[in-house]
Amino acid sequence: MSDPEGHEETVRFPRAWRCLVLSAGAVLGFGAAFVVGPVVDGLVRVADGAPAPLRIAAQLPLGWAVPVLTITGLVLGAWIVREWERENPVVTVGGEEVVVRRAGVSLRVGRGLVDGVFTDGHDLVLVDRETVELVRVHADRVLVSGLRQAFQRFGYPWRGEADPHEAAFAAWVDRDPALGEQAHALLRARHRALADKQAGAADDARDALRDLGVAVRDRRGGQQYRRTSRPRQGDPRHR
């Protein structure tokens, strides 16, 4: 979505995908009305029981089961869409700055700070000239095409769909002498925060690591890190 005069472009979870998920939920609910009875009968024969919601649905007359399960599928699809949208950012790209909004938090990055933009797995990443990560935020594949077009439209250096610094990352091993104790303490704190689903605390630990000149990402159930070209001083994102 662009503003009327073309000064910025906003990339968000695509409306087409929203409609697709909602439609799929409704269709699956409609189809379930015709098969829930045989499914419950099969579960009773094989496992001597079936979940209560399935048993209730199986007892509905077909005339009721069709609308009830279709609406249930639609509601489930709406929930999936809401969660999917909550996990992904809304990114506004303009000639002077980039604004990233996610989970009620906004981050502003000046154009002059950005030396590279790329996606790394399911992350959108912006780095400066010394490879310090100004932004690393979850962004699903459905956003990549829109992000690439928006950044290229305004002349940002789009680096592709892989981290140019891939070879510099190493798996974090606690107490490894390659890192100082302060960095290890922050990585431990971030690991605990992620395990406890405390996103704010995990982000705080990432910011503190960035100040030490350490970039971190999540891969294969663990953390990976790399050294940036310099420790980060202050918070350049708001200058």
Side-chain angles (χ1 to χ4, degrees), residues 42-180:
L43 287 174
V44 169
R45 286 195 302 270
V46 173
D48 198 28
L54 288 181
R55 294 200 307 270
I56 293 171
Q59 293 172 2
L60 292 172
L62 185 61
W64 280 99
V66 169
V68 167
L69 293 185
T70 299
I71 293 173
T72 300
L74 187 62
V75 171
L76 179 60
W79 178 82
I80 292 172
V81 167
R82 187 188 67 178
E83 293 301 308
W84 206 348
E85 289 179 328
R86 286 176 58 182
E87 290 178 358
N88 284 280
V90 176
V91 182
T92 301
V93 184
E96 301 297 324
E97 64 183 16
V98 178
V99 180
V100 180
R101 300 177 179 88
R102 181 176 180 270
V105 177
S106 297
L107 176 63
R108 191 180 306 271
V109 182
R111 170 67 179 85
L113 295 169
V114 181
D115 190 61
V117 184
F118 52 90
T119 56
D120 176 23
H122 290 286
D123 294 336
L124 169 68
V125 186
L126 279 67
V127 297
D128 69 8
R129 292 180 182 83
E130 296 180 345
T131 78
V132 174
E133 292 186 354
L134 305 172
V135 173
R136 179 179 282 270
V137 64
H138 176 92
D140 279 325
R141 297 289 302 174
V142 296
L143 274 69
V144 172
S145 176
L147 290 168
R148 180 179 63 250
Q149 292 174 17
F151 280 110
Q152 289 181 337
R153 173 188 169 193
F154 288 96
Y156 287 79
W158 179 261
R159 307 298 188 198
E161 298 179 23
D163 194 325
H165 316 103
E166 178 71 30
F169 279 95
W172 173 56
V173 178
D174 202 0
R175 309 291 184 183
D176 188 321
L179 284 175

